Amino acid sequence: MTNGQLDWRKVIRTGLLVGVVMVFTSAIGMVEDFDERPVVVGILSLGFLALFWYVPRAAYKVGDEEVLEGMEVHPPTFQNVIAGAAVGAIGGVVLSVLVFAVNALDLRGVFVRLSPQLVKTLTFSESAADPNLAGVLVLILISTVLGAVGGGLHLVSDKLRRQIVFTVGAVVVVALLEDVISQILRTFGLSALVRAIYRDAALRLIPAIVVAALGFFVGGRERGGESRIRAYLADPDPTQRTRKSLFVAGVVLVIVLVAPWVLGSLLSEILATTGIFLLMGLGLNIVVGFAGLLDLGYVAFFAVGAYTSAVLTSPLSPFFNPEWPWWYTLPVVIVIGAISGIFVGTPVIRLRGDYLAIVTLGFGEIVRITFLSDAAAPWFGGAGGIRNIPGIPLGFDTISGSDPEYIMYFAAALVVLAAWVSYALLNSRVGRAWTAMREDESVAEVMGIDTVRSKLSAFVVGAILASLGGALFSAKLGSIFPTSFELLISIVILVIVIVGGMGNILGVAAGAVVLIGVLGGPRQPGLLQEFGEFKLLIYGVILVYMMLQRPEGLIPNIRRSRELHHEELSQDAWLGATPSEDTAGEGAPA
């Protein structure tokens, strides 16, 4: 919308974009693969949810009107519905072109997932031989209706719009988290309730309606829960603040202690993996989020910790095998991690930005290739790695990967330690030096901050935390190989920090839960195992979306959030507006 009028060029562009997104989703096989995973029995499958989810979103966005400061605000009209329906219709027509193209041409030489089966799925046909024309029209009609619904959301109140979105989200989340909910209910002896709620891992219709009603009610409540929690913890009375903080910490501790036995082995395994990645994320957050040093080779420190622990504990270590207990290796892991941090940090002291990222990327690959090389095989096993790594001795038993509940406890303990170290350092003189260096390194040097020492300290602390994660990783798996420390691990950890919120400890935790706990790691399963083949694609989509719509992250650092605040960007845009665009700003201050 422009000045309250329908911008048809924008509508057409958005509709074509919607069509491209739906064609791409179909071409990569997501619709076919996910169509076998129902969300609501007999009504909605995950395949069609993946196909159509973007239609109402784009239809709603096409009706947005950017109102700069001092300009007139035009109320939404029925034109928003027309624009949304047009976006959906154009997208549906583009998708229908794909249907006929797949039926008429053999495109599988280029796009292997474009098959007659896709035509059958998209057109609701019994046979894949010919596209069902009525099915194609239904496809366009569904897209048009969803577009109209998205555009019509402008006409309802903010509260009702929030309720509708929350209702749909609640049904989808409860359906997709069937494994978690079923496991919890079975733990408490409610298997009959599981059968009443789910059938073939999908929500039954009546429970879906109940979930939708609850979501509609909860979505209509006033926001501000996060603010109330912060206000509760930020009591002006130091005694009360300490007491409340201890109470919250006790509740979290009880949840952590009980969770493994409620969730079961599979979910505990996922949480343990999430904890290891979170530990590395907290370490990288010190380097990137606190100190502003872009490190793309962070997995090197993870590998150093894993190999150090493996060499000292495994009887099959090729060169040196003292067979120490895991506990004895921790001080050595910390020392070796600190040395590796100094080793990597010293040559890059004077580098900034892209140059720093490229050099650290090179160091990460050097470490991986060194462990993989035949020259280092007499010390580190080469491509064969190091096997038969014992677990963590507790006196009465030895904890290993076959005990995910106990591994989760160790991961949680190391995460708490890393969070405490991060918080303590951030509020210390070192942390303030990191913050100043991140904002402007040249100004920090002029103000008397020793940037060399600050950079090295950031690399050392980050390396130690990653090394501890590597030590736990080796004990958990029982064997390590150079292929476990590829570049993709560094990228995923960086994405966790960016998506969660750079510089914020809770933000990094949220990023690890969303990306690793829900989607899964590069080679580790997550809660939504259906997305295993497409998880890297989804990583990319989430990262692009966050950079465009919420660059400060899910739970942003307050300082960074203020830097990227939308109102400030709008003010800058208003200052650059032309007189024809600014029809009501003559009296606004310059």
Side-chain angles (χ1 to χ4, degrees), residues 36-55:
E36 299 176 358
R37 170 60 161 95
V39 175
V40 179
V41 176
I43 296 179
L44 178 65
S45 70
L46 187 58
F48 279 91
L49 179 64
L51 180 67
F52 287 116
W53 74 271
Y54 188 61
V55 177

Side-chain angles (χ1 to χ4, degrees), residues 149-168:
V149 171
L153 290 178
H154 284 281
L155 304 180
V156 302
S157 64
D158 291 341
K159 178 181 178 180
L160 180 57
R161 180 164 58 248
R162 187 168 65 248
Q163 286 176 301
I164 294 172
V165 173
F166 196 91
T167 297
V168 175

Side-chain angles (χ1 to χ4, degrees), residues 70-82:
M71 294 185 176
E72 180 183 358
V73 179
H74 298 91
T77 64
F78 192 73
Q79 291 188 73
N80 294 90
V81 180
I82 297 175

Side-chain angles (χ1 to χ4, degrees), residues 363-399:
F363 273 116
E365 285 299 282
I366 288 171
V367 170
R368 183 184 66 83
I369 294 174
T370 298
F371 287 133
L372 183 63
S373 66
D374 292 335
W379 290 274
F380 304 112
I386 300 177
R387 294 165 294 170
N388 198 22
I389 302 172
I392 304 173
L394 294 179
F396 60 90
D397 197 4
T398 299
I399 306 304

Side-chain angles (χ1 to χ4, degrees), residues 105-126:
L105 304 172
D106 184 11
L107 302 176
R108 302 188 72 176
V110 180
F111 303 101
V112 296
R113 301 306 298 269
L114 292 179
S115 63
Q117 181 61 35
L118 174 63
V119 175
K120 178 181 177 181
T121 302
L122 291 178
T123 59
F124 315 99
S125 303
E126 295 294 334

Side-chain angles (χ1 to χ4, degrees), residues 11 121 131 141 159 236 250 277 371 375 432:
V11 170
T121 302
L141 178 62
K159 178 181 178 180
F277 274 86
F371 287 133
R432 290 189 290 271

Side-chain angles (χ1 to χ4, degrees), residues 7 37 92 95 134 178 189 220 255 306 534:
D7 185 351
R37 170 60 161 95
L95 182 61
E178 181 266 340
I255 293 175
F534 306 98

Side-chain angles (χ1 to χ4, degrees), residues 134-152:
V136 173
L137 295 178
V138 170
L139 201 66
I140 298 175
L141 178 62
I142 293 175
S143 183
T144 304
V145 171
L146 289 175
V149 171

